[in-house]
């Protein structure tokens, strides 16, 4: 389940003309680290982590239905979350009048790799994030629609739809994030973005994996699930 918190940290014009996308990121999480490869094809995305909480793992999400599968590769296990149940639980815990945290332009900038990046922040109780945003990222306007699908799905955390700010309003590509939620601290740095066809089988459950339904935990399980 920790991977569902990581998704909005990852993170980052016409869909008909848009090729599939593959984004590679460097992940640093305390003493551990590794890479995260994010693949986007149509309404699906897949995040592959080389060093997840229990080893190499992948999460596949349907951004329309919110159905998701987490693949635990060492165990050859596929843990499924029903999107309808997930949405019902989230809506039941949603605070309708609570405002989403706001993205704040710090007015500061910094070089991240080859990109000049402007620095934004947001906070929500014990959760916070700093984002480095590159306005001059090549072809960002063409990439934006596909990346926004992942941002919207990843921000639908446990407990409320308004735990995270609207990342789609950022004026460029997110090339680095530093995120914290209580004791969890994560740094993501974008390594590369590639356009090119991805085989549809990448978004299917391997036939030799044991499939089971994963129970949806209460809202309090998720870091800063409630908006106080």
């Amino acid at each position: 389940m920790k991977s569902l918190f990581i998704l909005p940290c990852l993170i980052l014009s016409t869909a008909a003309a848009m090729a599939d996308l593959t984004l590679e990121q460097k992940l640093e999480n305390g003493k551990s680290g590794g890479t995260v490869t994010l693949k986007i094809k149509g309404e699906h995305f897949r995040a592959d982590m080389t060093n997840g909480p229990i080893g190499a793992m992948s999460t596949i999400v349907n951004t329309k239905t919110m159905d998701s599968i987490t693949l635990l590769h060492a165990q050859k296990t596929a843990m499924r979350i029903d999107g309808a149940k997930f949405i019902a639980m989230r809506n039941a815990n949603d605070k309708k009048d609570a405002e989403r945290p706001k993205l704040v332009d710090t007015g500061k900038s910094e070089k991240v790799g080859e990109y000049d990046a402007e620095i934004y922040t947001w906070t929500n109780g014990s959760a916070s994030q700093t984002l480095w945003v590159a306005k001059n990222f090549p072809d960002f306007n063409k990439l934006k629609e596909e990346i926004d699908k992942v941002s919207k799905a990843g921000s639908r955390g446990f407990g409320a739809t308004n735990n995270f700010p609207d990342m789609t309003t950022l004026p460029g590509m997110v090339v680095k994030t530093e995120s914290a939620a209580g004791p969890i601290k994560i740094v993501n740095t974008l390594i590369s973005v590639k356009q090119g066809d991805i085989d549809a089988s990448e978004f299917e459950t391997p036939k030799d994996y044991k499939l089971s339904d994963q129970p949806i935990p209460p809202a309090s399980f998720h870091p800063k699930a409630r908006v106080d």
Side-chain angles (χ1 to χ4, degrees), residues 39-68:
K39 299 175 182 179
I40 309 171
K41 184 181 183 71
E43 301 302 331
H44 293 80
F45 71 83
R46 171 177 174 146
D48 297 307
M49 300 176 62
T50 59
N51 189 17
I54 50 176
M57 60 189 293
S58 302
T59 299
I60 301 169
V61 179
N62 182 314
T63 60
K64 278 195 171 181
T65 65
M66 289 303 292
D67 291 337
S68 66

Side-chain angles (χ1 to χ4, degrees), residues 155-166:
S155 67
R156 297 168 185 171
F158 290 100
T161 58
N162 45 24
N163 291 328
F164 303 97
D166 183 0

